[in-house]
Structures are given as structure tokens and as C-alpha cells.
Amino acid sequence: MPPSHDSDDDYDGDRTLVARHLTPTEAHMLCGRLRAAGIPAETGDTNTVQAHSLLAPALGGASVRVPADYLPQALATMEALQRGDFALDDSFDPGEPIEARPAGGWPRGD
């Protein structure tokens, strides 16, 4: 949990860079993992890197940022990710597939 503030505002500190990736997909995957851990992460420069991939190294790639108050939690989550703490083993069973459409089918536009 981030430190609590004495005031009632929602300010969690300035955005702090925690990672850079050469592909937007990697940045979005890390951002999703951090958000799943309750950290309000955001990506940056993903559209530019996607549109101009040859410039990605010069731009520094796509970035992932978190509020400064969440930095320790974000770094711990990233270390756990590097260690493989979130990996699924070979015996993982996702269960039965969920039907994507309603039981009665999609309504017809007749």
C-alpha cells in the first residue's frame, strides 16, 4: 500500500519511470501486471514507437511510469516478475472455456 497522506487529495506523487522497452507490447504487458497488483501504472510513447519502430532506440523505447508513492511496490512486483513468481506451471488447468455469446444466441436485427 502506498503511504497515506494527511490531506484529502488524491495526489500519489509525480510519475516515475520504472521501465523502458523497445516494443509497446512489452510495455503494455508490464503495465497490466502492475495494474493487476493495484499499482496505477501507465505507458508512454507507445504510439510513437509503434508507428516509427526504427526510431525506437533513439526515442528510448516505450516507457512505463508509476506514481512516486507506488515506486517501492512497483519495483517489488517487477522483481517478482523477473524471478518467475507469476509463471504458470505445466499442470495449470484453465478450466472449461466460457461461452462468449449469450445462451440464447445473439439478438437478430430483423
Side-chain angles (χ1 to χ4, degrees):
M1 276 321 256
S4 60
H5 298 286
D6 292 333
S7 64
D8 291 333
D9 65 331
D10 292 333
Y11 182 69
D12 293 321
D14 292 340
R15 298 292 177 176
T16 304
L17 182 70
V18 293
R20 286 191 178 273
H21 294 283
L22 287 179
T23 65
T25 302
E26 290 176 302
H28 283 295
M29 288 172 46
L30 175 59
C31 185
R33 177 64 253 174
L34 293 172
R35 287 180 180 173
I39 302 165
E42 63 183 29
T43 58
D45 303 319
T46 55
N47 292 334
T48 304
V49 170
Q50 184 73 38
H52 305 287
S53 58
L54 294 176
L55 296 177
L59 296 171
S63 62
V64 179
R65 298 181 295 259
V66 300
D69 288 353
Y70 287 85
L71 184 60
Q73 186 180 356
L75 294 176
T77 301
M78 291 170 57
E79 288 174 11
L81 185 62
Q82 285 295 107
R83 283 193 309 269
D85 291 357
F86 304 111
L88 302 175
D89 61 6
D90 292 336
S91 64
F92 174 74
D93 179 16
E96 291 296 316
I98 298 172
E99 186 66 33
R101 61 187 165 97
W106 295 107
R108 297 183 65 117
D110 297 335

